[in-house]
Amino acid sequence: SQTIHQWPATLVQPVGSPLSLECTVEGTSNPNLYWYRQAAGRGLQLLFYSVGIGQISSEVPQNLSASRPQDRQFILSSKKLLLSDSGFYLCAWRSREEAFFGQGTRLTVV
Amino acid sequence: AQSVSQHNHHVILSEAASLELGCNYSYGGTVNLFWYVQYPGQHLQLLLKYFSGDPLVKGIKGFEAEFIKSKFSFNLRKPSVQWSDTAEYFCAVIIYGNNRLAFGKGNQVVVIP
């Protein structure tokens, strides 16, 4: 069966520090992968999605970037975090029938 | 890019009341539609989906949704809610042949016993 792993679950980082959140999928090949940010009252904001290695579609110009170095690995990064980057980040992979979500990462920038 | 609208972000109702949550999308072509639910402290999980065929879709836990193409809508319904239906509900849309999966802002539903 397919599983999705996202880590860390929580993260506290100082302003100006780099960020790297990792997401990996098991049990499937060539998945469509997504990064979302979830905020109360704002739903799930799509940040990036990828249909294959090295292929990244960016939704919102911001302080974040994404990379897909391997088929089942999707990384969300920042070179210098801002206070406004605080939030709950979700990784997802999609089969034709539905999307499956990771446990999420609660990022607090201090 | 397609967008998804959900209104009435906060909904409070009593047990046994009927629930209807609206979802409208902005794309005029073929779409695949989803409703997800997130119970407190849990992952998002799929309630139901529409790809083609009968526009009235039945999902888990007594939920159903109706796709009305002329209205660009996919409203979620449940005739009689229970306290355990307290959760946040998200509508999602993906354009057929595309890979951009967009979600609405969600509806926070609270069912009072």
Side-chain angles (χ1 to χ4, degrees), chain A residues 9-59:
Chain A
T10 60
L11 188 62
V12 180
Q13 291 284 100
V15 169
S17 65
L19 172 73
S20 181
L21 301 181
E22 189 163 343
C23 173
T24 59
V25 180
E26 296 177 357
T28 186
S29 60
N30 197 31
N32 290 334
L33 297 171
Y34 302 82
W35 277 110
Y36 293 90
R37 179 161 51 202
Q38 185 177 13
R42 296 187 178 181
L44 276 73
Q45 179 189 22
L46 179 60
L47 302 176
F48 302 94
Y49 66 96
S50 171
V51 300
I53 296 174
Q55 301 179 59
I56 307 296
S57 295
S58 176
E59 281 290 302

Side-chain angles (χ1 to χ4, degrees), chain A residues 32 34 36 38 41-44 46 49 51 59 90 94 96-99 101-103, chain B residues 9 34 36 38 43-44 46 49 51 88 90 94 98-106:
Chain A
N32 290 334
Y34 302 82
Y36 293 90
Q38 185 177 13
R42 296 187 178 181
L44 276 73
L46 179 60
Y49 66 96
V51 300
E59 281 290 302
L90 280 168
R94 186 178 68 85
R96 181 185 179 276
E97 297 294 310
E98 66 181 279
F101 290 84
Q103 67 174 7
Chain B
H9 180 66
F34 307 83
Y36 279 81
Q38 187 173 34
H43 294 192
L44 281 95
L46 183 68
K49 61 194 174 192
F51 280 65
E88 191 156 16
F90 296 93
I94 191 163
N98 194 311
N99 294 290
R100 183 181 181 274
L101 178 61
F103 284 79
K105 293 186 177 182

Side-chain angles (χ1 to χ4, degrees), chain A residues 74-94:
Chain A
F74 203 26
I75 298 172
L76 183 68
S77 304
S78 174
K79 292 182 179 179
K80 290 185 178 182
L81 283 169
L82 306 172
L83 286 174
S84 57
D85 292 323
S86 293
F88 189 66
Y89 291 85
L90 280 168
C91 178
W93 79 273
R94 186 178 68 85

Side-chain angles (χ1 to χ4, degrees), chain B residues 64-106:
Chain B
E64 64 178 31
E66 185 175 12
F67 170 54
I68 303 180
K69 188 174 182 178
S70 61
K71 295 185 177 180
F72 302 93
S73 70
F74 189 54
N75 292 356
L76 181 71
R77 297 192 292 254
K78 184 169 183 176
S80 177
V81 295
Q82 300 172 326
W83 174 79
S84 58
D85 293 321
T86 294
E88 191 156 16
Y89 294 81
F90 296 93
C91 181
V93 176
I94 191 163
I95 297 172
Y96 179 77
N98 194 311
N99 294 290
R100 183 181 181 274
L101 178 61
F103 284 79
K105 293 186 177 182

